[in-house]
Amino acid sequence: MAPPGLINKEDIPQVLPILPLRNSVFFPGGVLPLAVGRQKTIALIKDAVRDDQVIGVVTQRRAEEEDPGAADLYTMGTVARIVKLLKMGEDNYSLVVQGLARFRVVELVQEAPYLKARVDAVEDKTSSENVEVEALGINLKKLAREVIELMPELPAAATELVESITHPGHLADLIAANVDVPIEEKQAVLETVDLKARMKLVLELLNRKREILKLSNKIDSAVKGEMSKTQREYYLRQQLKAIKEELGEMGEEEEELDELQERLKKANLPPDVEKVANKELNRLKTIPAASSEYTVARTYLDWIADLPWAKLSEDNLDIENARQQLDKDHFGIKKVKKRILEYLAVRKLKNDMRGPILCLVGPPGVGKTSLGQSVAKATGRKFVRLSLGGVRDEAEIRGHRRTYVGALPGRFIQSMKKAGTKNPVMMLDEIDKLGADFRGDPSAALLEVLDPEQNNTFSDHYLDVPFDLSKVMFVATANQLDPIPGPLRDRMEIIELTGYTFEEKQSIARIHLVPKQLKEHGLSPDHIDITDEALLTLTTAYTREAGVRNLERRIADICRAVAVEVAGGKTEKQNINADRVKEILGPEMFYSEVAERTEVPGVATGLAWTAAGGDLLFIEATKMAGKGGMTLTGQLGDVMKESATAALSYLRSKAEQLGISPNFLEKTDLHLHFPAGSIPKDGPSAGVTILTALTSLLTGIRVRHDTAMTGEATLRGLVLPVGGIKEKVLAAHRAGIKRVILPERCRKDLIDVPDQARNELEFIFVTHMDDVLKAALETPPVGVAGTPGGEPGKEAPLPKPAESSPEVRA
């Protein structure tokens, strides 16, 4: 920049051509290159060069205005001389102008072909010899040096230039022209005529610029420091990698960590889990591979990457297909099939439904466990089986914390990894066999897993992040409900499976068991033909159970016997009938002992419920000389002992009506025995049987050998209802009983009994012990009056299931 004073005030014309300037402010003493393209400006330049006159440069208020008027221009500008002009194209010129002095626009006098204005020249109002001006100048130079040092992109000569300027006004204009501040603030400096005020304003702008540069450099240094640290680490790692490659010791850790990072990205982790995994991965990268902590962290991340956080298998919602699949795999069990079809139907209509939690309760061998696989096939889901029998440690459910050596997630997380999907069918086998000891109660840990309101955020101690189990279809199995704690039982939908009738067992054997055993023994239907007669013999004479496991074993025995002959060279087809069964299996294992048991008075046949289904319960009574005592044997519980005491008290109160001596206990002792003494027995349902056996003993009248009974007896002789009717009726049917005495209020329970058993048995419903004695004894005791419950021996009408019953539909 040239120093001011290059033109005297008198040499400035009163009317100047005006060149509008965009995006910049031009100061006196400055030299500015300009590119010109507007027609008005080109016309102005041509005239100014031709006449060798000065021009006025004024900044536009808005840079986007193409044809500015008086209102679009600032009122203060700079007188300039055109130093150089170059023609760059047809309508493009490049020129260099030099600032000479300030001027103020008074008014515009011409708008075409270019702007002209009447102007007043402006001079600095404060003398440059003033002491305060000199001090301001020193401060300006000092600040300018600091700013130049903070801006390494400026040339070193910039400091020398600032030091060489002696005129304070020129110094202020030079700094204002080169400092990076908004146009409005530069224009304010241009319009400040007072020298001291102008210098103070520039000092303020320069000071603010210095602070901004300091902060910017501080931020830049921090970023560069971080970048240089990262680059240094990367460089060192690359060097280490190259050294290992040269030594042939290239470890697989780096590749494994990269692969692990990719697996974590592909796992679609929830945001909170992803945050934990990334934090653990970053920590893992800093741990030496030989450290035990490295293995712990690596194993943890492997589990996170392998779990199905978002992977769902598509449900097969074809109801008819599911019905066919369930019927194909299992015979009977209508309740379970109906429940599964209901779930699929609702899922088809409402897709965000949570998985059900079913508990199948029934005796061994009725198909509870295998049903889970059928459900998985029917729904098109993965199947995983989790055996809970004998589990006594709470950590088996929730996992161990990672601080322990050899820690692992719990069985549920392990099963989810094995399934590979978020919505498998999970079979919880033998849930009633859970134990508890000093390591915690697993059944309490299951409360969260089997609660639909909580299991969407199941927390495993090993993972320590929530995992969603709400899409899993849980199917639990149990032989008994009693060992399952109440809160756990309340979280599950209980579906009871009872034993099979002979007819059902034959069908199951024909459809499922025989083909399975033939395949397992390498036989085909060309080698063997098992007749219906043989299957009936197997079910009645060689097995007596609620399920079909022993029946399958007996079929396997027959297949092995045939396999020996086939392997020995016998090729003709073998026909297996009842005689051939006896030849292979030996003497019959079970036979009807009811008639033999009731040949003498004092023996009655009761019905009992067991975990393996129903069973017969014989009660034997005898008397001997004594002093009126009563002995009970057969490993009885307190309730059954009390039933015997109540029965004796009832007999003593009704002795005369029954034709028994009122003083029968004075010189007599009674003994009640329940055979199979090693098996614990309890419950009130043997009350009527005990009373019948005692009555038979004391009256000398035998109990009918084809009759069995169940029910609770009160001191007043009323017969109260009991449970397990279906199992007890099926047990009577299996044992060859023809007549069953039941409490009147149990009539409704017969709706669950299969048709075959209901059609082949005679049912007598009673409300009072008089009805029981009339129906059970061969001849009614003396003094027993009318028959409130109907004539003994006459079949009472049975309840018929409604046609719309879901049992019938299924």
Side-chain angles (χ1 to χ4, degrees):
M1 291 182 70
L6 293 178
I7 190 169
N8 295 320
K9 182 179 178 182
E10 294 78 13
D11 296 334
I12 298 174
Q14 291 185 343
V15 176
L16 279 177
I18 302 299
L19 189 153
L21 187 64
R22 289 190 281 198
N23 298 318
S24 183
V25 176
F26 188 40
F27 285 88
V31 176
L32 183 68
L34 295 173
V36 177
R38 288 191 279 200
Q39 293 301 320
K40 282 189 174 183
T41 309
I42 291 171
L44 180 151
I45 292 168
K46 287 180 178 179
D47 286 355
V49 171
R50 186 184 65 241
D51 300 336
D52 193 22
Q53 63 175 344
V54 293
I55 61 173
V57 179
V58 183
T59 303
Q60 292 181 201
R61 293 180 185 274
R62 292 185 301 119
E64 63 271 13
E65 186 63 48
E66 284 295 326
D67 189 14
D72 300 317
L73 299 174
Y74 285 106
T75 55
M76 184 75 78
T78 301
V79 178
R81 177 185 296 119
I82 299 173
V83 178
K84 191 173 184 180
L85 177 65
L86 292 172
K87 186 173 183 179
M88 308 299 293
E90 187 176 341
D91 290 325
N92 286 315
Y93 288 84
S94 177
L95 72 155
V96 178
V97 292
Q98 180 186 12
L100 302 175
R102 285 175 169 77
F103 72 86
R104 182 176 284 109
V105 176
V106 178
E107 64 173 341
L108 282 180
V109 296
Q110 176 184 311
E111 290 192 2
Y114 48 84
L115 297 176
K116 278 189 178 181
R118 183 175 291 109
V119 299
D120 280 342
V122 176
E123 288 183 332
D124 292 344
K125 290 185 177 179
T126 307
S127 170
S128 59
E129 303 299 325
N130 190 295
V131 176
E132 188 177 351
V133 170
E134 187 177 350
L136 286 170
I138 293 170
N139 276 344
L140 270 176
K141 287 185 178 182
K142 180 185 173 185
L143 264 179
R145 284 195 300 271
E146 289 184 19
V147 170
I148 290 168
E149 287 175 5
L150 290 171
M151 297 176 71
E153 65 269 16
L154 292 179
T159 306
E160 298 175 7
L161 175 63
V162 170
E163 293 294 340
S164 65
I165 297 173
T166 56
H167 193 282
H170 184 199
L171 178 65
D173 288 343
L174 168 68
I175 292 172
N178 288 281
V179 73
D180 184 18
V181 294
I183 298 296
E184 292 77 8
E185 295 187 5
K186 287 189 177 186
Q187 182 66 29
V189 173
L190 182 67
E191 292 179 357
T192 306
V193 177
D194 184 80
L195 185 57
K196 283 197 295 186
R198 189 195 315 163
M199 294 181 76
K200 286 179 180 178
L201 183 58
V202 173
L203 199 62
E204 183 184 331
L205 293 179
L206 198 58
N207 195 39
R208 193 172 72 205
K209 181 64 178 178
R210 182 187 64 172
E211 295 303 317
I212 291 172
L213 284 172
K214 276 186 178 181
L215 183 59
S216 175
N217 284 350
K218 184 179 178 182
I219 294 170
D220 192 41
S221 298
V223 172
K224 279 184 178 177
E226 188 66 33
M227 284 294 290
S228 61
K229 181 184 175 185
T230 306
Q231 288 169 351
R232 180 172 172 271
E233 286 181 1
Y234 175 75
Y235 177 68
L236 289 173
R237 287 185 189 279
Q238 291 300 108
Q239 276 190 324
L240 184 62
K241 187 176 179 181
I243 292 168
K244 283 184 176 181
E245 284 179 351
E246 286 296 322
L247 293 174
E249 297 177 357
M250 180 58 189
E252 297 178 358
E253 290 82 7
E254 292 85 357
E255 295 177 12
E256 287 178 355
L257 290 181
D258 291 342
E259 181 194 346
L260 182 58
Q261 190 167 9
E262 284 301 312
R263 285 167 56 204
L264 288 170
K265 284 181 182 177
K266 292 176 181 176
N268 291 327
L269 303 178
D272 51 343
V273 179
E274 187 177 15
K275 184 178 177 183
V276 172
N278 288 337
K279 182 179 177 184
E280 193 71 17
L281 183 63
N282 292 333
R283 191 173 76 88
L284 180 63
K285 290 177 179 178
T286 64
I287 302 174
S291 168
S292 60
E293 188 68 19
Y294 179 89
T295 308
V296 172
R298 172 66 200 273
T299 307
Y300 174 73
L301 288 173
D302 276 333
W303 274 102
I304 293 284
D306 289 340
L307 286 172
W309 296 95
K311 187 178 179 183
L312 290 165
S313 60
E314 188 175 347
D315 279 342
N316 181 0
L317 300 177
D318 186 342
I319 307 298
E320 192 55 40
N321 175 68
R323 181 182 283 115
Q324 291 174 6
Q325 182 68 51
L326 291 170
D327 288 340
K328 176 184 173 185
D329 291 346
H330 287 82
F331 187 87
I333 50 175
K334 298 177 182 178
K335 280 187 179 179
V336 191
K337 294 177 181 178
K338 168 177 168 284
R339 180 64 184 86
I340 301 303
L341 294 176
E342 287 172 349
Y343 168 72
L344 289 178
V346 176
R347 185 68 192 269
K348 192 171 185 177
L349 300 176
K350 188 173 185 292
N351 199 32
D352 60 346
M353 183 185 179
R354 290 173 175 169
I357 299 170
L358 309 177
C359 183
L360 310 178
V361 181
V366 295
K368 300 184 299 296
T369 303
S370 61
L371 190 67
Q373 293 175 323
S374 294
V375 172
K377 285 182 195 172
T379 55
R381 295 188 178 196
K382 297 280 183 148
F383 174 75
V384 283
R385 179 176 168 275
L386 199 158
S387 179
L388 297 176
V391 172
R392 305 177 67 82
D393 189 353
E394 177 260 353
E396 292 276 347
I397 307 298
R398 287 191 176 278
H400 302 81
R401 300 198 181 277
R402 277 178 285 154
T403 51
Y404 297 109
V405 176
L408 279 174
R411 292 194 179 197
F412 284 91
I413 295 299
Q414 292 181 35
S415 297
M416 293 305 292
K417 176 185 174 182
K418 181 181 176 183
T421 63
K422 199 177 175 182
N423 60 339
V425 174
M426 189 176 290
M427 171 67 72
L428 307 180
D429 227 357
E430 309 294 353
I431 199 170
D432 58 329
K433 308 297 190 304
L434 283 170
D437 61 11
F438 63 92
R439 291 167 293 188
D441 186 355
S443 62
L446 278 176
L447 294 178
E448 181 187 10
V449 178
L450 299 182
D451 190 342
E453 300 300 323
Q454 300 178 37
N455 62 9
N456 60 330
T457 55
F458 171 66
S459 177
D460 185 274
H461 289 157
Y462 181 84
L463 294 183
D464 208 24
V465 289
F467 190 86
D468 186 5
L469 293 175
S470 63
K471 303 294 183 186
V472 179
M473 182 188 287
F474 290 103
V475 181
T477 70
N479 295 129
Q480 302 179 58
L481 274 179
D482 294 341
I484 305 175
L488 184 58
R489 195 186 319 166
D490 184 59
R491 282 163 165 77
M492 300 184 291
E493 184 177 340
I494 307 296
I495 299 177
E496 293 191 4
L497 303 181
T498 52
Y500 297 114
T501 63
F502 293 140
E503 184 183 39
E504 289 174 332
K505 284 185 179 181
Q506 285 178 259
S507 299
I508 292 170
R510 177 66 62 199
I511 298 169
H512 300 289
L513 305 183
V514 172
K516 177 183 174 185
Q517 290 304 320
L518 289 180
K519 184 179 179 183
E520 289 188 2
H521 290 84
L523 299 173
S524 70
D526 296 333
H527 295 130
I528 183 173
D529 177 28
I530 302 179
T531 63
D532 291 338
E533 179 193 8
L535 291 177
L536 180 61
T537 303
L538 286 173
T539 55
T540 55
Y542 289 92
T543 60
R544 186 166 290 179
E545 57 178 343
V548 291
R549 279 212 183 101
N550 284 324
L551 176 59
E552 185 174 7
R553 292 188 184 105
R554 301 291 81 81
I555 293 172
D557 292 341
I558 293 172
C559 290
R560 283 195 297 272
V562 174
V564 170
E565 297 184 5
V566 172
K570 193 172 181 179
T571 56
E572 62 269 14
K573 187 174 185 178
Q574 299 195 39
N575 185 44
I576 306 297
N577 54 25
D579 294 334
R580 186 82 168 98
V581 168
K582 293 174 184 176
E583 181 185 330
I584 295 171
L585 299 181
E588 293 183 2
M589 300 173 66
F590 299 98
Y591 57 92
S592 178
E593 56 182 346
V594 178
E596 297 177 15
R597 291 276 187 152
T598 58
E599 282 180 351
V600 295
V603 180
T605 307
L607 296 172
W609 181 92
T610 70
D615 201 358
L616 294 187
L617 177 69
F618 294 102
I619 298 178
E620 300 176 349
T622 188
K623 59 183 178 180
M624 64 211 82
K627 298 181 180 179
M630 184 169 70
T631 305
L632 301 173
T633 54
Q635 202 171 341
L636 309 180
D638 292 338
V639 176
M640 192 169 275
K641 290 177 182 177
E642 290 165 1
S643 291
T645 306
L648 182 60
S649 298
Y650 175 77
L651 273 179
R652 293 178 66 183
S653 68
K654 298 286 184 179
E656 289 187 8
Q657 294 181 23
L658 296 172
I660 305 170
S661 170
N663 303 320
F664 69 90
L665 276 182
E666 285 184 2
K667 297 180 180 180
T668 306
D669 282 351
L670 297 179
H671 185 164
L672 273 177
H673 177 62
F674 297 76
S678 63
I679 302 173
K681 309 170 190 70
D682 202 3
S685 62
V688 296
T689 317
I690 294 171
L691 208 152
T692 302
L694 288 173
T695 304
S696 170
L697 172 71
L698 297 173
T699 60
I701 304 171
R702 291 186 304 184
V703 178
R704 292 183 58 156
H705 66 82
D706 61 350
T707 302
M709 63 201 77
T710 186
E712 180 182 359
T714 68
L715 276 178
R716 294 179 295 154
L718 298 178
V719 179
L720 302 182
V722 291
I725 295 299
K726 180 179 178 182
E727 290 86 350
K728 292 175 180 178
V729 169
L730 289 178
H733 182 253
R734 281 197 299 271
I737 296 290
K738 301 300 180 186
R739 304 167 76 245
V740 179
I741 299 173
L742 298 174
E744 172 65 37
R745 284 163 63 185
C746 290
R747 183 190 295 264
K748 64 182 186 303
D749 297 327
L750 286 183
I751 197 168
D752 294 329
V753 177
D755 291 341
Q756 184 192 6
R758 295 204 307 164
N759 295 335
E760 294 181 9
L761 290 174
E762 177 187 347
F763 296 93
I764 299 102
F765 298 96
V766 296
T767 57
H768 197 272
M769 274 309 302
D770 286 351
D771 305 339
V772 177
L773 296 177
K774 284 184 181 180
L777 299 180
E778 290 184 348
T779 57
V782 178
V784 172
T787 314
E791 295 181 19
K794 185 175 181 181
E795 182 181 355
L798 300 181
K800 294 182 179 179
E803 290 184 7
S804 61
S805 166
E807 275 287 322
V808 175
R809 282 205 313 271

